[in-house]
Amino acid sequence: MTLNVGDIAPGFELADTELKMRNLDEFKGGKIVLSFIVAASSPVCEVELCSFRDSWKEISNLGAKVIAISNDGPFANKAFAEKNNFNFPLLADYTSKTIRDYDILMPDLLHIKDYNAAKRSVFIINEDGKIGYKWVSEDPLKEPNYEEIKNFLK
């Protein structure tokens, strides 16, 4: 089922880099910028999440929180997060359940059979739990439009 703007955002329970289970409800209280990345430590994902890190204060001042999700395990995510000093949670969807719930599964990444990943995507979840903004790329090398995201938050 394809998710669209106006749909209720699917909930999740995923491990963070400290092996603590985190769920969508605990981040409510403002808009949530939910960034799905293709792979921890990959070059484009590093640029994307560093862009969110560097814009964190501006995003936070707009009343929003950033959450990143990859299908890597919590240990790979931890190394990635520590290397880049991320100031937001990086969650592990190692079963790809949440990625499937958001209908952004990219099967056979780099033509490797059964190597599934998330399509590079950004969803902004409004205070009412509904999706207010959606950007999904079929091209894993394409970055989101950061200014468009910040403008939506305004």
Side-chain angles (χ1 to χ4, degrees), residues 40-43 46-47 50 53 75-86 90:
S41 297
S42 65
E46 189 164 2
V47 169
C50 286
R53 177 200 64 203
F75 306 106
N77 282 347
K78 182 172 185 158
F80 184 43
E82 286 178 351
K83 174 187 173 210
N84 292 289
N85 298 308
F86 295 145
L90 176 53

Side-chain angles (χ1 to χ4, degrees), residues 83-99:
K83 174 187 173 210
N84 292 289
N85 298 308
F86 295 145
N87 46 8
F88 49 82
L90 176 53
L91 307 180
D93 186 16
Y94 49 86
T95 66
S96 298
K97 180 190 180 316
T98 301
I99 292 165

Side-chain angles (χ1 to χ4, degrees), residues 3 11 19-20 25 53 58 76 79 86 99 109:
L3 290 176
L19 306 180
K20 179 181 175 193
D25 289 341
R53 177 200 64 203
E58 183 180 359
F86 295 145
I99 292 165
L109 178 65

